[in-house]
Every structure is written in C-alpha cells, then in structure tokens.
Amino acid sequence: MANTTGKVFKGTSTWYEDADKYWKTVPSSVDGMLGGLQVVHEPDVRDSSLFLTKLQSKHTLRKNYACDCGAGIGRVSKHFLLRQFNKVDLVEQNGEFLQAAAVYLQSEQSEGRVGDMFDVGLQTFTPMQARYDVIWCQWVLSHLTDDDLVAFFKRCTTGLAPGGFICVKENVAGSSYVVDSEDSSVTRSATVFESLFQKSGLSVIEKQTQTDFPDGLFEVKMWALQPK
C-alpha cells in the first residue's frame, strides 16, 4: 500500500472514480467490508453501542430513524443500528453492495425496519429534511475531499430531526493527512477532523476512542456532533 503524508490534502481529478473502481474489486461480504479483519467486528459493534448508550444517558436522543452512510452490505446496520433504532436507511454508491444488503437484511426488511437504500455517493447525497435522529458515518468519510466533506456535513444538518446527531467513526492519523492512492482515501488526524467539524458549523457533543483493536491499525475515534 503506497501511503504518503503531507500537510495539505488535495484530491485528484479522478478521486471518486478511482475509489469506485477499487470497491468494485472488493467482495460483497463482511470480510470484504472489513478488509479481511473480521477480528474487529465484535469490539467495533460493542464500542459503537456503548458510545450511543453514553450519548443517550447524557443527552436527549430519540431512536426512531437512523441513516447508515457508506453502508456497504449493511454490516453496521444489521449488528448495530437496527438494534438501536426502529428504522434505518442505507446510503451506498456500490450497487452490488446494496444488492447484497437486500439479502443480508432480508428479515429486517420483512419487518419494515429497513427504509430507503440510496445508491449514491456521499459527495452528492442530500438527506430528506428533518428525517434522522442519527446520521451514522463510519469508515467512509476518508473517501471525501475536505471541501466535499464540509458540504456533506452542511447538507446533513438539514436532514437531522430536532435534537438529532451526526455521528462520525473513522480512522485517525497521528498528524495531518495520510493519503492512500490504492483505494483513493485520506486518513485525517483528529485535529484536522475537528477543524472540519467547526468549519461545517458543528459542535462536538461527545467523543470516544475505540478499544481492543489489534496493534498496528490506525486509532479509531467516534464523535457525536450537533449544529451550533
């Protein structure tokens, strides 16, 4: 994997096309979604659940409707969000992943708990106004350029129900940016993320660091955000 670090991140002219090509080579499976690291699945789900529990214990959090951004085949929806919320929409630009999600979430769909499946990238996704109690973004924002990430967050604020949260769970770099040309992604430092939250008009309400992941991986952080 060819990685470079730098003080300024700039996406290439084919940034999104290159990412799309990469993900079309990835199997539509849990193993594919996790890059072969299924060992992280259980601690990931556990800590996400604990984070949401902490958020609910300290703040008003309704659990009616959530949005899973960068949903893949629906791993996060099935094992986390649908255990917390009455209904979940999925956003995923890879059509094959969404087809797999329809099978993976078949029982939840039959119960009417899976809502819309949006076949679109986050760089163009616009949520319906005031729909979601939580917009959950996990291991996907690395594929957005800084400008598109800020624009995405601003659109998401209009999609929040009163009192709703945007939740971010992402790898974080030690400093600045780490750009991966193989899958067309950028890993940002926590400082960079929080500066982009501020630029987007968002306040950090809660944050937490993922635990019990194998050594050698990027640190993973979670943030709960609300419009200022």
Side-chain angles (χ1 to χ4, degrees):
M1 184 179 295
N3 291 336
T4 60
T5 57
K7 294 182 179 180
V8 178
F9 163 67
K10 294 181 180 179
T12 65
S13 60
T14 57
W15 183 255
Y16 294 115
E17 292 87 347
D18 292 343
D20 186 48
K21 289 177 183 177
Y22 170 82
W23 283 104
K24 284 179 177 176
T25 70
V26 173
S28 300
S29 63
V30 171
D31 193 60
M33 300 301 97
L34 293 174
L37 293 170
Q38 290 201 51
V39 67
V40 308
H41 170 72
E42 288 189 10
D44 167 52
V45 171
R46 180 201 65 210
D47 279 17
S48 293
S49 300
L50 289 172
F51 182 64
L52 213 60
T53 298
K54 180 175 76 171
L55 189 62
Q56 187 176 34
S57 71
K58 298 172 67 175
H59 309 276
T60 300
L61 171 63
R62 287 180 290 272
K63 290 188 172 183
N64 181 44
Y65 214 148
C67 184
D68 182 358
C69 291
I73 68 165
R75 180 191 71 89
V76 169
S77 285
K78 186 177 187 72
H79 298 283
F80 167 50
L81 292 174
L82 282 163
R83 297 181 182 182
Q84 301 282 340
F85 294 88
N86 296 331
K87 195 169 186 177
V88 176
D89 287 349
L90 283 70
V91 184
E92 171 56 56
Q93 75 170 7
N94 186 306
E96 291 186 6
F97 291 169
L98 279 185
Q99 290 176 15
V103 176
Y104 193 59
L105 301 172
Q106 188 172 11
S107 62
E108 292 86 356
Q109 277 192 310
S110 67
E111 297 168 352
R113 301 186 58 229
V114 176
D116 293 316
M117 291 188 175
F118 297 103
D119 184 1
V120 64
L122 298 188
Q123 66 272 20
T124 56
F125 174 63
T126 300
M128 289 185 65
Q129 190 167 3
R131 171 176 275 198
Y132 301 114
D133 300 307
V134 163
I135 297 176
W136 186 269
C137 310
Q138 178 168 346
W139 289 331
V140 65
L141 301 183
S142 60
H143 291 297
L144 295 183
T145 65
D146 281 359
D147 286 346
D148 283 345
L149 180 54
V150 170
F152 167 72
F153 282 144
K154 289 180 177 179
R155 294 194 303 273
C156 283
T157 61
T158 69
L160 292 177
F165 294 86
I166 299 169
C167 291
V168 170
K169 184 170 188 176
E170 292 288 340
N171 294 346
V172 294
S175 62
S176 193
Y177 300 89
V178 178
V179 180
D180 189 333
S181 59
E182 181 182 8
D183 65 356
S184 200
S185 68
V186 56
T187 303
R188 299 170 170 93
S189 69
T191 299
V192 169
F193 264 120
E194 291 180 4
S195 70
L196 292 172
F197 300 156
Q198 184 174 16
K199 189 175 180 180
S200 305
L202 297 169
S203 297
V204 176
I205 306 303
E206 296 289 344
K207 57 183 174 179
Q208 182 172 308
T209 301
Q210 173 70 42
T211 62
D212 295 334
F213 273 12
D215 293 337
L217 301 180
F218 281 114
E219 185 177 57
V220 175
K221 287 189 178 295
M222 292 170 272
W223 291 270
L225 313 166
Q226 284 187 321
K228 294 180 180 179

